[in-house]
Amino acid sequence: MIKIKRDHLMNNEVIELVSSHLQGMNLHSPPESIHALNIENLKQRDITFWSVWEDSQLAGCGALKELDEHHGEIKSMRTATAHLRKGIAKELLQYIINEAQKRGYRRLSLETGSASAFEPARKLYASFGFYECEPFSTYKEDPYSVFMTKKLND
């Protein structure tokens, strides 16, 4: 049984998963091209963070940042290694899309890596209707980044 709950980033398992996410980014991108957020930055008031649990095991996490009243950004999507290929990311992504629609966002965007290690993530996002776009918000063109967006509530 999978449960997605709002998380305040106090649980050690969640903190370790976010740290693991950041370490993974460091393996595939130079520091200036890493846009993943650390624990303190994920606690900003314009960000909602969720953890995903399968029974009592942490299975993943993800966040939604409000860029403005019509535009949100997906942040920090990560599936715990022991829970890969169980559909955790699909459930969480759908949950975040639903939340963005409830908020009345017209667009949902994200930044992910361009390296082959990020190919599964790019395929997942594309399967949900995200398509490549120009840099948004404060991002700039970067060979290590792929920007994707999806129109909502049309």
Side-chain angles (χ1 to χ4, degrees):
M1 174 92 172
I2 292 174
K3 181 179 181 182
I4 299 172
K5 65 179 188 176
R6 187 164 184 176
D7 197 296
H8 297 287
L9 298 142
M10 303 295 282
N11 179 299
N12 284 335
E13 288 178 83
V14 174
I15 292 168
E16 286 175 23
L17 183 59
V18 171
S19 294
S20 172
H21 179 63
L22 288 169
Q23 289 169 1
M25 300 301 104
N26 282 308
L27 291 175
H28 303 288
S29 302
E32 66 275 8
S33 296
I34 296 172
H35 304 288
L37 301 176
N38 64 26
I39 294 295
E40 288 309 309
N41 287 331
L42 285 168
K43 291 180 179 179
Q44 294 174 31
R45 37 184 298 213
D46 59 347
I47 296 176
T48 306
F49 184 88
W50 294 276
S51 55
V52 183
W53 298 83
E54 185 174 33
D55 299 319
S56 62
Q57 292 186 331
L58 178 62
C61 64
L64 177 58
K65 179 178 182 177
E66 183 169 295
L67 299 176
D68 64 43
E69 64 185 35
H70 301 294
H71 191 187
E73 179 184 5
I74 295 172
K75 299 295 292 180
S76 301
M77 284 270 301
R78 182 70 170 205
T79 301
T81 303
H83 296 274
L84 291 170
R85 290 175 279 291
K86 291 183 176 181
I88 301 296
K90 285 181 181 179
E91 286 204 38
L92 180 57
L93 182 55
Q94 187 60 61
Y95 188 92
I96 292 172
I97 291 168
N98 292 347
E99 178 63 26
Q101 289 173 321
K102 284 182 203 170
R103 293 180 183 188
Y105 293 166
R106 294 185 187 143
R107 192 168 104 167
L108 188 56
S109 301
L110 61 98
E111 180 277 337
T112 190
S114 62
S116 61
F118 299 99
E119 182 66 24
R122 292 191 304 269
K123 284 183 178 180
L124 172 69
Y125 296 129
S127 75
F128 276 77
F130 285 84
Y131 54 90
E132 289 190 29
C133 65
E134 296 295 316
F136 59 91
S137 185
T138 59
Y139 291 106
K140 300 197 178 352
E141 200 65 49
D142 184 334
Y144 293 94
S145 291
V146 173
F147 303 98
M148 301 180 83
T149 197
K150 174 183 175 75
K151 292 181 182 174
L152 304 172
N153 299 323
D154 284 341

